[in-house]
Amino acid sequence: MNRMQKISWLTVICLGTSLILSVIVVTVLYYNIGFPRAWAGLGCLGLGGIAGLGPAIFREDKNKIQFDERDRYINQKAAFNGFAMSYMIFGVFCMGIWWYLRLHGNAAISINILPLLFAAGGFTSFFVHAMTILVLYRRDNCLEENVND
């Protein structure tokens, strides 16, 4: 497993765990104290920031080739997929909020929703980038195994 895969695994684990934990905490707080105070459970998303330590945790090995053409292609494809999915999620959320508020006769979106939209796009981008890296390396390894048989 190379460095990029290790960082991707850390990203998937940290972001996935923080998202699941955040949903659980918001749900529990909602039943105990109700909204809007239950939104404080979104603070658990901050645990996803541990994923940013991946490059520091998994240092480069000076004796090995770090990146070849295949790695560059996988990273480029993953970045594109992360951006595309982030843009799609951002668009769906924006249009969903607009549609919901229009049905209920509201003419304005609360300013408190904007950081949530921004965070959803960012989480989506990083999570999909990491997942794409893992999927493409896995698919590449399966193809190599089939060729060698």
Side-chain angles (χ1 to χ4, degrees):
M1 186 179 312
N2 69 17
R3 181 175 183 256
M4 195 161 52
Q5 287 175 294
K6 292 174 185 176
I7 293 171
S8 294
W9 271 115
L10 180 67
T11 302
V12 167
I13 290 169
C14 289
L15 292 181
T17 303
S18 68
L19 184 63
I20 291 169
L21 185 62
S22 181
V23 168
I24 291 170
V25 171
V26 168
T27 304
V28 168
L29 288 177
Y30 169 72
Y31 285 112
N32 289 336
I33 59 177
F35 282 126
R37 291 175 53 194
W39 289 119
L42 292 177
C44 294
L45 292 175
L47 294 174
I50 295 171
L53 297 175
I57 294 171
F58 304 111
R59 300 216 180 259
E60 295 178 2
D61 187 7
K62 301 296 183 195
N63 299 330
K64 295 171 97 179
I65 296 174
Q66 298 302 318
F67 248 58
D68 61 4
E69 293 81 19
R70 179 188 67 149
D71 297 328
R72 187 166 284 116
Y73 170 77
I74 288 174
N75 196 32
Q76 183 180 9
K77 187 82 167 163
F80 176 79
N81 287 350
F83 171 75
M85 188 60 72
S86 171
Y87 191 74
M88 186 187 80
I89 291 294
F90 186 75
V92 166
F93 280 0
C94 286
M95 295 309 292
I97 291 169
W98 170 77
W99 181 72
Y100 176 80
L101 291 177
R102 198 181 96 177
L103 285 178
H104 289 84
N106 293 342
I109 296 175
S110 170
I111 197 166
N112 296 327
I113 292 176
L114 298 177
L116 296 176
L117 290 173
F118 185 74
F123 265 65
T124 302
S125 177
F126 286 109
F127 190 80
V128 170
H129 182 266
M131 283 299 296
T132 303
I133 287 172
L134 295 174
V135 167
L136 290 178
Y137 271 111
R138 176 69 178 149
R139 185 169 50 178
D140 192 45
N141 289 340
C142 288
L143 289 174
E144 286 179 5
E145 288 175 4
N146 289 338
V147 170
N148 292 334
D149 288 338

